[in-house]
Amino acid sequence: MDHLAVPFIGTKRMYSLRLLASKNARLFEATYDLFDPVVRALAPLWRGIGYERVEKPFAVVEKLTKGVLFDCQMCGRCILSSTGMSCPMNCPKNIRNGPCGGVLSNGNCEIDPDMRCVWVDAWEGSKKMKCGDKINTVQPPVDHRIQGTSAWLRHIRERPVARHSETDAKAKGAAKA
Amino acid sequence: MMIPGPEYRDLPPGHSSPGRLERALRAGRFVVTAELNPPDSANPEDVYERAKVLSEVCDAINATDASGAHCHMSSMAICALLTRAGYNPVLQISCRDRNRIAIQGDVLGAAAMGVSNILCLSGDGVQTGDHPEAKPVFDLDSMSLLEIIRTMRDDRRFMSGRKLTSSPNVFLGAAANPFAPPFDWRPLRLAKKIVAGAQFVQTQYCFDVPLLCSYMEKVRDMGLDKKCFIIVGIGPLASAKTGRWIRSNVPGVHIPDAVLDRLEGAKDEKKEGRQICIDLIQEVQEIEGVSGIHVMAYRQEKFVSEIISASGVLKYETLVREPAAHADKEA
């Protein structure tokens, strides 16, 4: 498991791996759709062991897997399914509703011109996904207190309907209007 | 009770703010807004002399917020100076330098001073400015900022849920950039900003009218021009060299070769740059769904009045859209 050690994450190899994520967005979406119900169904188990006890193992697994695949920055509120599998925390401005107006003509970032704009990839990835229109949902700002915690565990603990209903309803309302 | 500035009047029905910009837009007029380049000075006269030349032809004046991450007199201060003298400013809020606590406080203060218009921006990165070593904030982005201010205005509460005793009656705007990639998503991004609360947008510099037309076609197809007032950014280029510099150094601005060639071929490049600006204004005015122009004349503010007058927009009698039901016909 040496290749999954922390120093690996954040290197140039990391960047090229993360670019593959939005290119294979549909595959990741399908994988997620497969695993999510299973992990969710085990909620009584996690509750039984104790959410505080499973927090650390969840966070470690999440960091290692999502860290490698998506360059996950462990913001605690994962919105990869709404950003075409392109992590918005890799945007130097941490924009949760991107892109900004400064995207270069070649699709690169205005702050780091050698880096592809995270949100250009987000859009490309969303086009490939079944639920790609989630990118049109207005995302709330980050809660900085939950940085470093497991988004997966939070997702299991919270009811998914309540989390998205407000912004989804607004988007639907705008579409109808 | 002192009511700040002539801008403050009773809120007309169907309006979010008592301000002149919203009145003019809802009455169906073609508006003109302009950017005031903030001074590097603590002298208020430097603000007033710039505002004076712009106000001759503008429905509102934008007070920029350290644009390009270059330090200047702040937008809030410029709005304070302008409102007390009876001008109609647009407060620009960038998310680069302030967190959600400071921003919500500023919104209340601005409304209390008589500011009727707020432009919500994500903000340029610190590396482009004169203090690249500074710590960037980016606690919010332009969309969450729009939502938060709309919540303060319509639901009368802070983002935290704490109630406000009186709400800020502001007309909310955002930036739009039809000239930067990803092109096919820009109209959807405008739709998203409208859902978040944008009532008007001001675009980045337009030098490519066909590109603007294709954007506006998609915008009209989605019905977005009916939900949001679109004000197109225009500005005079001083020379072909300036144009090339902007192309390489200002992200998001697209200048076609044809424009640079036209400048290069001219005897007086500065004059030609102003003529190109006039021509662009006249073309943009004809595009269905466009509600006005936003003039950004860096170091050429004294020519704004001349450009606007020469373009003929002030004489433009035709309404560009149906006036809203309760619109102020006198606007």
Side-chain angles (χ1 to χ4, degrees):
Chain A
M1 296 287 261
D2 282 334
H3 64 288
L4 290 175
V6 168
F8 173 77
I9 294 165
T11 61
K12 250 204 142 136
R13 211 153 129 214
M14 196 65 265
Y15 173 59
S16 36
L17 269 178
R18 114 163 164 242
L19 288 184
L20 288 175
S22 53
K23 288 193 169 67
N24 296 290
R26 178 75 197 106
L27 171 67
F28 285 114
E29 185 187 25
T31 311
Y32 181 81
D33 287 344
L34 211 62
F35 279 100
D36 182 50
V38 174
V39 179
R40 217 175 245 297
L42 292 170
L45 170 65
W46 314 129
R47 203 168 35 245
I49 300 171
Y51 286 127
E52 293 72 29
R53 282 206 201 97
V54 296
E55 169 65 45
K56 193 77 190 289
F58 258 86
V60 167
V61 173
E62 197 173 334
K63 178 65 179 164
L64 290 176
T65 51
K66 284 163 68 188
V68 167
L69 293 169
F70 310 107
D71 212 351
C72 166
Q73 303 298 323
M74 296 296 284
C75 69
R77 179 75 69 192
C78 189
I79 54 169
L80 276 177
S81 55
S82 303
T83 61
M85 299 296 164
S86 175
C87 175
M89 305 314 278
N90 288 306
C91 164
K93 297 182 188 175
N94 287 350
I95 288 183
R96 302 284 276 190
N97 296 282
C100 69
V103 182
L104 304 180
S105 50
N106 62 358
N108 281 13
C109 174
E110 63 161 332
I111 295 189
D112 185 351
D114 292 328
M115 184 181 92
R116 186 132 161 99
C117 168
V118 157
W119 283 95
V120 169
D121 277 346
W123 171 232
E124 293 301 320
S126 295
K127 283 201 279 199
K128 299 189 169 103
M129 287 166 68
K130 208 165 68 163
C131 297
D133 59 346
K134 276 192 196 169
I135 200 168
N136 294 312
T137 312
V138 179
Q139 296 292 339
V142 161
D143 178 345
H144 295 278
R145 297 172 298 181
I146 59 177
Q147 169 68 31
T149 62
S150 169
W152 282 344
L153 191 60
R154 179 162 290 102
H155 174 68
I156 292 166
R157 291 176 76 166
E158 289 172 2
R159 292 186 201 289
V161 174
R163 186 152 67 88
H164 289 294
S165 61
E166 204 202 334
T167 39
D168 278 350
K170 277 194 199 131
K172 281 196 191 107
K176 272 195 210 132
Chain B
M1 183 181 69
M2 197 179 75
I3 295 173
E7 175 91 337
Y8 189 94
R9 284 188 272 171
D10 290 329
L11 204 58
H15 285 227
S16 306
S17 75
R20 175 176 159 170
L21 180 64
E22 190 178 2
R23 280 169 196 273
L25 285 168
R26 291 197 192 280
R29 286 214 294 105
F30 190 81
V31 303
V32 178
T33 60
E35 228 171 55
L36 184 148
N37 291 303
D40 295 337
S41 137
N43 183 359
E45 281 308 314
D46 290 336
V47 173
Y48 291 129
E49 74 190 19
R50 288 166 205 218
K52 197 163 178 296
V53 296
L54 296 174
S55 67
E56 288 168 8
V57 290
C58 292
D59 292 291
I61 298 173
N62 280 50
T64 60
D65 185 17
S67 81
H70 281 95
C71 203
H72 303 291
M73 186 187 287
S74 71
S75 182
M76 275 295 277
I78 293 174
C79 286
L81 292 171
L82 293 182
T83 48
R84 73 177 65 167
Y87 292 102
N88 317 292
V90 177
L91 173 73
Q92 290 195 192
I93 301 181
S94 140
C95 299
R96 177 195 54 242
D97 306 320
R98 288 203 223 58
N99 68 8
R100 62 194 80 180
I101 299 169
I103 286 175
Q104 289 178 99
D106 279 345
V107 168
L108 290 180
M113 290 188 309
V115 171
S116 286
N117 317 293
I118 298 183
L119 192 77
C120 301
L121 306 166
S122 293
D124 303 313
V126 296
Q127 85 295 346
T128 55
D130 62 336
H131 292 71
E133 73 283 8
K135 180 181 181 185
V137 179
F138 293 122
D139 188 26
L140 302 175
D141 58 35
S142 60
M143 249 176 260
S144 41
L145 178 55
L146 280 165
E147 264 201 338
I148 286 167
I149 303 179
R150 195 204 38 205
T151 307
M152 290 174 79
R153 184 192 66 202
D154 299 342
D155 300 341
R156 228 179 237 219
R157 58 176 178 83
F158 288 116
M159 190 185 163
S160 64
R162 266 176 56 228
K163 293 255 175 259
L164 300 173
T165 48
S166 106
S167 51
N169 294 323
V170 289
F171 187 45
L172 280 174
N177 193 355
F179 313 105
F183 297 109
D184 49 350
W185 196 37
R186 292 289 171 183
L188 281 157
R189 183 155 166 77
L190 176 61
K192 204 171 163 182
K193 284 194 174 175
I194 293 170
V195 168
Q199 296 166 293
F200 73 94
V201 290
Q202 288 171 323
T203 77
Q204 182 54 286
Y205 282 110
C206 171
F207 289 106
D208 188 346
V209 176
L211 190 52
L212 179 66
C213 283
S214 69
Y215 171 80
M216 286 306 299
E217 200 184 319
K218 290 194 199 90
V219 161
R220 286 193 303 266
D221 284 343
M222 293 171 72
L224 301 178
D225 58 322
K226 302 277 181 287
K227 295 178 195 158
C228 179
F229 299 100
I230 296 162
I231 303 172
V232 177
I234 303 270
L237 286 172
S239 63
K241 190 170 162 206
T242 309
R244 282 183 220 289
W245 186 91
I246 289 175
R247 219 189 215 180
S248 319
N249 294 289
V250 182
V253 179
H254 167 67
I255 306 178
D257 288 330
V259 170
L260 294 176
D261 292 341
R262 189 175 153 182
L263 275 170
E264 226 141 41
K267 273 205 198 92
D268 183 345
E269 284 191 39
K270 214 166 181 182
K271 196 163 176 213
E272 189 65 16
R274 293 200 294 276
Q275 188 55 49
I276 292 173
C277 190
I278 293 167
D279 295 343
L280 284 166
I281 293 172
Q282 288 170 339
E283 283 183 65
V284 162
Q285 192 181 272
E286 299 297 320
I287 302 175
E288 194 196 327
V290 171
S291 291
I293 46 161
H294 175 56
V295 188
M296 297 174 278
Y298 183 61
R299 288 191 181 158
Q300 293 198 65
E301 291 89 338
K302 59 182 191 280
F303 294 115
V304 171
S305 185
E306 176 194 308
I307 290 169
I308 299 294
S309 306
S311 72
V313 287
L314 295 178
K315 298 194 208 94
Y316 200 58
E317 297 289 333
T318 320
L319 292 181
V320 288
R321 63 201 281 146
E322 278 298 307
H326 301 286
D328 183 350
K329 304 287 189 293
E330 307 303 310

